[in-house]
Amino acid sequence: MQDEPIDPFAGDPGDPSADLDANEDGEPLTEAERQDVLEDLADLEIYQALLTPIGVRGLVIECEDCHEPHYFDWDLLRANLRHLLTSGRPRVHEPAYDPDPDHYVTWEYARGYADGVHDALADATDDGER
Ligand SMILES: [Zn+2]
């Protein structure tokens, strides 16, 4: 175990490391960024397993570039996250072809759905122990 170096700009709004374009040169992700992507990948597995049986094919994401919703199938989402993990760069968006919006939900919806299922399972377990 190594101690984290102290960031001299921590809490400083002028922090040069806060530059959002830092990854445009393909610099490797920071450990925290890698962790975020790995968590997204793990969440994705759960959402796909829970939502596919009710007809959901993937997620809809509001694009920061063109401000329109893009529809991504589960496989494409996973490929994009893996690409980000290895290259440090998000992929140029290539949404699903001619998607049916009824079959896509937001991250927020998927997260809420997974939480609801988790709570229901936890309740069921509690009841069984009483
Ligand atoms: Zn876009």
Side-chain angles (χ1 to χ4, degrees), residues 27-47:
E27 290 169 30
L29 298 179
T30 66
E31 195 49 43
E33 286 167 338
R34 277 183 59 84
Q35 217 49 51
D36 280 350
V37 176
L38 287 170
E39 278 172 26
D40 282 352
L41 273 169
D43 286 346
L44 205 56
E45 294 293 330
I46 297 167
Y47 301 161

Side-chain angles (χ1 to χ4, degrees), residues 47-98:
Y47 301 161
Q48 181 174 11
L50 290 175
L51 294 167
T52 299
I54 60 168
V56 177
R57 292 178 193 160
L59 299 179
V60 53
I61 293 167
E62 178 84 13
C63 181
E64 289 175 20
D65 291 333
C66 51
H67 298 284
E68 288 189 20
H70 291 325
Y71 301 89
F72 295 94
D73 288 332
W74 301 117
D75 288 348
L76 189 56
L77 284 162
R78 195 161 21 243
N80 283 351
L81 285 172
R82 293 226 173 97
H83 178 83
L84 180 58
L85 208 54
T86 52
S87 73
R89 268 176 293 193
R91 237 176 180 182
V92 178
H93 55 272
E94 37 178 307
Y97 175 74
D98 196 18

